Amino acid sequence: MATETQSQPADWPGRYFHIDQVLNTPGPRTDESFLAGDGVKDFLRNKSKILVIGAGGLGCEILANLALTGFKDIHVIDMDTIDISNLNRQFLFRPKDVGKSKAIVAAEFIMKRVPGVKVTPYFGKIQDKDDAYYMQFNLVICGLDSVEARRWMNATLVNLVDPEEPESLKPLIDGGTEGFKGQARVILPTITSCYECSLDMLNKQTAFPICTIANTPRLPEHCIEWASVLEWPRVRGDLKLDTDDPEHIGWLYKIALARANEFKIEGVTWSLTQGVVKNIIPAIASTNAVIAAACCNEAFKIATSSAAYLNNYFMLIGTDGVYSYTFEHEKRDDCPVCGGEALEMTLKPTTTVEELIDILVEKQDIQIKKPSLSTPTKQIYFQAPPQLEEATRPNLEKKVSDLVPPGGEVTVTATTLPFSLSLRISYSE
């Protein structure tokens, strides 16, 4: 990372020379609203405010790129602490930082190395902040490793949009990596396709149907899920599972191994247990760097109007050489976040409520963990609170057709998502 000597002021002449070459003169693809010169430089460096969500492998690269590009008012949110396994690719951290907040340490590092840049950290969850907090930003960049967190952030920004208030539209730039593959995309809430629209492009999630893990486990992953989803709350009560706590992982491993031995299943190991409950994805530093650069390039273009921004999806595939592909992902009319239509679902007349829940968990374009179901007139099944779960549990064995008429709508909710999904049910053999 470039740095300045102690004798150089925060804005020493030539610091942003490479950036000024772009901002001083319009280019062939410059937006009509582009105001070359001091005006756009002043906005970028003194008036724009950007939020980075995640200070891990992607987030560290994004924070450094933004600071060196000229963004001076940066906020960062991360709920994690630094682990020794992070140090090989999350280059803002050092061994002395292990156990500390990623957001706080990253902010301090950037401000020390790039004087004049203010990075405001928040050590906590994105769900802790209200709409007023997110309204203050011009842009949001996600460098997350959680699908659920991305879905929450996406839905929150879509819900912020007020057609009468243009400033309520906050562009979302999302980056993600998986090994040598990565993606960057630009989401204009309510205008372009949103994150929810493209769930079917994700790799199949690792959640398994409750009936399978409870009754007929076939894979070592089933035994681990059984230990974490069913046995942990039954035995440990209200104690929250901490996937970073070796004692908690050890307990799950012991219980899952016993379950596997009971059903003569091989393959339950400590590393697999950790991988299943933390949904660990291999991280490659070079992929993080490329995707972070792509995200920050889009942030720069949107903030300055100096060039046309991405429309709207960029993919990087580096498994066999280096290949990239850009395309426009289209909106889904039945998207529960940015669409307006109910999702059509055809069931067999014999499908039970429990089987419908399994379908919702496994269905690639829905992917809702622990869904609760209701109609405008009745509660079908609720995952929580315990009293309501117990009261609606008998419905699990009932046929959906006995509870919902043909053409009827079922509302699906989950505590992890700030939106509901509407299903229009039909029946066919």
Side-chain angles (χ1 to χ4, degrees), residues 194-373:
C194 72
Y195 186 80
E196 198 73 19
C197 290
S198 59
L199 280 186
D200 56 351
M201 293 182 62
L202 302 177
N203 287 337
K204 191 171 178 60
Q205 62 177 359
T206 56
F208 301 100
I210 291 293
C211 62
T212 298
I213 66 175
N215 302 315
T216 56
R218 300 182 300 277
L219 302 171
E221 290 85 354
H222 292 162
C223 301
I224 297 167
E225 284 276 296
W226 177 82
S228 61
V229 174
L230 298 178
E231 283 300 281
W232 179 274
R234 186 184 72 81
V235 177
R236 307 296 289 262
D238 294 331
L239 178 62
K240 180 175 174 56
L241 175 63
D242 183 356
T243 57
D244 291 318
D245 188 328
E247 188 275 326
H248 289 193
I249 297 296
W251 188 92
L252 293 177
Y253 167 61
K254 177 182 176 182
I255 298 299
L257 185 60
R259 174 80 165 178
N261 291 336
E262 179 185 351
F263 284 86
K264 296 181 173 55
I265 298 172
E266 297 181 353
V268 173
T269 63
W270 171 283
S271 60
L272 181 64
T273 302
Q274 189 177 47
V276 169
V277 298
K278 296 186 70 171
N279 193 25
I280 292 176
I281 298 172
I284 305 297
S286 57
T287 310
N288 286 339
V290 172
I291 296 302
C295 290
C296 293
N297 193 35
E298 296 309 317
F300 179 80
K301 290 189 289 185
I302 293 174
T304 64
S305 298
S306 57
Y309 51 79
L310 178 68
N311 182 31
N312 51 33
Y313 207 111
F314 163 77
M315 296 180 65
L316 171 72
I317 302 173
T319 49
D320 299 304
V322 178
Y323 171 76
S324 65
Y325 178 61
T326 302
F327 66 96
E328 180 180 359
H329 192 284
E330 297 183 358
K331 292 181 68 174
R332 278 174 46 199
D333 292 335
D334 59 2
C335 172
V337 174
C338 71
E341 300 180 6
L343 180 64
E344 302 285 346
M345 180 165 283
T346 302
L347 305 175
K348 295 180 180 179
T350 57
T351 300
T352 65
V353 171
E354 185 173 33
E355 289 170 339
L356 173 58
I357 290 174
D358 289 345
I359 291 171
L360 294 174
V361 169
E362 289 195 309
K363 193 168 172 57
Q364 191 68 5
D365 58 352
I366 297 179
Q367 297 192 31
I368 293 185
K369 297 179 180 178
K370 297 185 177 180
S372 295
L373 312 177

Side-chain angles (χ1 to χ4, degrees), residues 80-292:
D80 289 337
T81 55
I82 299 164
D83 185 80
I84 194 169
S85 64
N86 301 147
L87 302 182
N88 69 330
R89 65 193 180 283
Q90 298 175 21
F91 65 95
L92 301 183
F93 311 137
R94 301 293 182 266
K96 64 181 176 60
D97 300 320
V98 170
K100 298 178 183 178
S101 159
K102 287 186 176 182
I104 293 173
V105 173
E108 292 174 348
F109 193 105
I110 292 294
M111 289 190 289
K112 180 180 179 181
R113 294 292 293 272
V114 191
V117 174
K118 180 183 178 183
V119 184
T120 305
Y122 176 69
F123 177 34
K125 299 180 179 180
I126 53 176
Q127 294 87 347
D128 296 341
K129 300 297 187 179
D130 58 14
D131 288 353
Y133 173 82
Y134 292 109
M135 280 292 289
Q136 69 181 301
F137 300 105
N138 302 103
L139 281 166
V140 178
I141 301 183
C142 282
L144 292 162
D145 59 2
S146 164
V147 171
E148 286 187 356
R150 283 188 176 98
R151 295 174 75 178
W152 192 94
M153 195 68 248
N154 172 74
T156 296
L157 295 184
V158 170
N159 292 336
L160 280 184
V161 176
D162 180 351
E164 303 297 324
E165 297 284 345
E167 293 297 317
S168 66
L169 192 153
K170 311 296 179 182
L172 171 63
I173 301 168
D174 178 64
T177 64
E178 182 176 343
F180 290 101
K181 300 177 182 179
Q183 55 83 20
R185 64 186 301 186
V186 171
I187 296 171
L188 302 181
T190 72
I191 296 177
T192 66
S193 71
C194 72
Y195 186 80
E196 198 73 19
C197 290
S198 59
L199 280 186
D200 56 351
M201 293 182 62
L202 302 177
N203 287 337
K204 191 171 178 60
Q205 62 177 359
T206 56
F208 301 100
I210 291 293
C211 62
T212 298
I213 66 175
N215 302 315
T216 56
R218 300 182 300 277
L219 302 171
E221 290 85 354
H222 292 162
C223 301
I224 297 167
E225 284 276 296
W226 177 82
S228 61
V229 174
L230 298 178
E231 283 300 281
W232 179 274
R234 186 184 72 81
V235 177
R236 307 296 289 262
D238 294 331
L239 178 62
K240 180 175 174 56
L241 175 63
D242 183 356
T243 57
D244 291 318
D245 188 328
E247 188 275 326
H248 289 193
I249 297 296
W251 188 92
L252 293 177
Y253 167 61
K254 177 182 176 182
I255 298 299
L257 185 60
R259 174 80 165 178
N261 291 336
E262 179 185 351
F263 284 86
K264 296 181 173 55
I265 298 172
E266 297 181 353
V268 173
T269 63
W270 171 283
S271 60
L272 181 64
T273 302
Q274 189 177 47
V276 169
V277 298
K278 296 186 70 171
N279 193 25
I280 292 176
I281 298 172
I284 305 297
S286 57
T287 310
N288 286 339
V290 172
I291 296 302

Side-chain angles (χ1 to χ4, degrees), residues 40-93:
V40 68
K41 289 185 281 187
D42 178 63
F43 176 80
L44 174 67
R45 294 162 194 170
N46 300 316
K47 297 177 182 178
S48 65
K49 184 181 290 189
I50 191 165
L51 173 64
V52 177
I53 301 177
L58 265 180
C60 285
E61 296 276 359
I62 289 170
L63 287 168
N65 289 348
L66 291 176
L68 295 172
T69 302
F71 288 91
K72 290 189 175 182
D73 190 354
I74 306 169
H75 291 239
V76 58
I77 295 178
D78 198 297
M79 62 179 286
D80 289 337
T81 55
I82 299 164
D83 185 80
I84 194 169
S85 64
N86 301 147
L87 302 182
N88 69 330
R89 65 193 180 283
Q90 298 175 21
F91 65 95
L92 301 183
F93 311 137

Side-chain angles (χ1 to χ4, degrees), residues 343 345 347 356 400 404-410 423-427:
L343 180 64
M345 180 165 283
L347 305 175
L356 173 58
V400 178
V404 183
E409 291 198 3
V410 173
L423 304 177
R424 184 175 293 110
I425 304 296
S426 60
Y427 302 97

